[in-house]
Amino acid sequence: MSGRALLMWDEAVTQYDFGSEHPMDPVRLALTMSLVRAYGLDRAVDVVAAKPAGDSTLRLVHREDYVAAVRAASVDPRHADQAYGLGTVDDPAFTGMHEVSALIAGQSVGAAEAVWRGEAAHAVNFAGGLHHAMPGAASGFCIYNDASLAIARLLELGAERVAYVDVDVHHGDGVQAAFWEDPRVLTVSLHEHPRTLFPQTGWPEETGAAGPGEGGAVNVALPAGTGDAGWLRAFHAVVPELIADFRPQVLVTQHGADTHFEDPLAHLAVSLDAQRAVQEACHELAHEYAEGRWLALGGGGYAVVDVVPRSWTHLVGIAAHAPVDPESVIPSSWRDEVYARTRQLGPGRMTDGRWPVGFRDWSEGYDPADRLDQAVLATRKAAFPLRGLLA
């Protein structure tokens, strides 16, 4: 296995653009890549571009009629069919939509292939993580579900156990749906409680299809307002034990940055420093249980200047075994670019001032009256016994 990490990047992914009024501004991708370069991380990884996913690959997850509908809307957005979730407020149709969505999917699939074949230890596609797209519909800013497609490709190549861990503020519903009945895939999602946030799914009781898939889905529904200590406590109370038991051959993780306290679309209160801590934890889990095979994806994140570029640059640095010091001062060249592109002042350091982040480990006991602990208990009671683990 190569010790180098791959960073999947094609400038054309910035054409994934729903329009100037949409919160998913592609400047977040451009600024992330610029910050990666400002720290010299592009020299610590192999920056490569994969081919767009073709129809046969897309059909590993998506229905043929849906792909045809995306193609039609891509040629003429006036033909967007809302029965497929296209042409909606969340997923407006735009010219070239199929091509750029297939390109993003191709980066995740290509990354998965490289990791499985031992051509790279780790791979990052921060343009990916579009976890809401369903087999037959667009949803939640997502056209093609690159995370599901990458996992499906790993299974096609012979993987027998793939774990997917999603720490986006929104439930990873599309990936859960794609593998609901498949015991080869364990999906774990930590997200804001469905009572208060889209897509209103991801309850602890959602544990996979009865029969072989039972226990294959694990959901931690966190109370609105959960901050660093609670978020890290929940992650460590659930994820490491599941990964240790499942022993995946590949770990796929989704690192939506929208858990951050500055994110305008959600209600958690997590810092950049806690996000970095979870990225490091995922990296360690990949080495401990998956022979280092790690595919890390982006996802949501709508504080497109202050949060997303810093969070995903940390992710690239960790994957490259060249972590960025949280206390480091961000190069002025990048801040100049931020102002030129957005007329905003960029952040000055790679920290929110909370590093290192502390939390109380679950092994130290829990408080049944605490809302965060209640959420963790609900997950453990619903899912752990199905996997032969103690709740």
Side-chain angles (χ1 to χ4, degrees):
M1 178 183 292
S2 168
R4 296 276 288 182
L6 293 184
L7 175 58
M8 312 304 293
W9 179 251
D10 186 320
E11 209 76 39
V13 299
T14 60
Q15 295 169 21
Y16 192 81
D17 188 353
F18 291 114
S20 60
E21 301 304 312
H22 197 279
M24 188 177 263
D25 188 337
V27 75
R28 69 196 194 122
L29 302 179
L31 289 177
T32 299
M33 192 62 197
S34 293
L35 189 55
V36 165
R37 289 177 175 134
Y39 275 102
L41 293 174
D42 56 324
R43 298 189 296 275
V45 297
D46 293 329
V47 180
V48 298
K51 294 179 181 179
D55 283 4
S56 62
T57 297
L58 294 172
R59 285 199 297 269
L60 291 173
V61 169
H62 294 291
R63 295 199 321 247
E64 190 171 358
D65 59 317
Y66 173 60
V67 175
V70 175
R71 282 187 178 278
S74 185
V75 173
D76 186 346
R78 294 173 298 178
H79 291 164
D81 187 342
Q82 292 199 4
Y84 291 103
L86 302 168
T88 62
V89 172
D90 275 2
D91 297 282
F94 59 92
T95 302
M97 178 172 63
H98 164 78
E99 288 76 12
V100 69
S101 299
L103 179 64
I104 291 171
Q107 305 314 301
S108 293
V109 171
E113 292 172 346
V115 168
W116 180 252
R117 291 170 177 157
E119 296 164 6
H122 313 321
V124 179
N125 177 25
F126 58 72
L130 303 179
H131 59 168
H132 294 307
M134 293 293 176
S139 178
F141 314 165
C142 306
I143 306 301
Y144 294 139
N145 195 316
D146 64 285
S148 293
L149 289 163
I151 294 168
R153 180 64 175 138
L154 288 167
L155 298 177
E156 189 178 51
L157 290 171
E160 298 174 347
R161 295 181 312 283
V162 179
Y164 172 75
V165 177
D166 188 318
V167 296
D168 192 289
V169 79
H170 302 92
H171 177 225
D173 57 339
V175 185
Q176 175 180 285
F179 303 104
W180 185 247
E181 301 177 356
D182 196 330
R184 296 173 297 174
V185 181
L186 172 67
T187 64
V188 186
S189 179
L190 286 83
H191 47 266
E192 185 179 327
H193 202 286
R195 284 198 194 96
T196 53
L197 195 67
F198 174 90
Q200 282 78 54
T201 58
W203 298 79
E205 296 77 17
E206 296 172 34
T207 54
E214 197 168 43
V218 181
N219 289 289
V220 187
L222 299 168
T226 296
D228 287 359
W231 194 63
L232 291 175
R233 176 169 167 79
F235 178 92
H236 287 280
V238 172
V239 176
E241 193 170 346
L242 290 168
I243 299 300
D245 172 69
F246 189 64
R247 295 197 169 265
Q249 292 161 297
V250 185
L251 178 63
V252 180
T253 58
Q254 196 267 23
H255 297 271
D258 43 8
T259 51
H260 196 273
F261 56 77
E262 287 188 14
D263 198 90
L265 299 188
H267 317 97
L268 295 191
V270 173
S271 73
L272 180 78
D273 300 296
Q275 291 177 348
R276 185 186 189 279
V278 160
Q279 293 165 5
E280 286 194 328
C282 290
H283 180 218
E284 291 167 5
L285 288 170
H287 277 289
E288 190 165 358
Y289 298 110
E291 297 182 4
R293 297 188 192 96
W294 182 34
L295 169 56
L297 307 172
Y302 309 101
V304 299
V305 169
D306 284 346
V307 177
V308 175
R310 293 190 297 161
S311 186
W312 293 346
T313 297
H314 276 307
L315 180 64
V316 173
I318 290 164
H321 296 145
V324 176
D325 182 354
E327 295 294 338
S328 68
V329 174
I330 292 175
S332 59
S333 59
W334 183 80
R335 300 183 76 221
D336 291 343
E337 181 179 349
V338 166
Y339 189 77
R341 283 179 176 270
T342 68
R343 290 297 183 264
Q344 295 182 44
L345 296 176
R349 291 191 301 160
M350 290 293 284
T351 178
D352 285 333
R354 300 183 183 179
W355 187 263
V357 185
F359 68 96
R360 191 166 66 92
D361 193 80
W362 190 254
S363 62
E364 298 176 18
Y366 59 85
D367 179 358
D370 180 82
R371 291 175 64 220
L372 187 280
D373 285 4
Q374 289 170 2
V376 172
L377 278 170
T379 298
R380 291 182 64 99
K381 287 179 178 178
F384 276 44
L386 298 175
R387 304 203 63 84
L389 300 173
L390 294 175

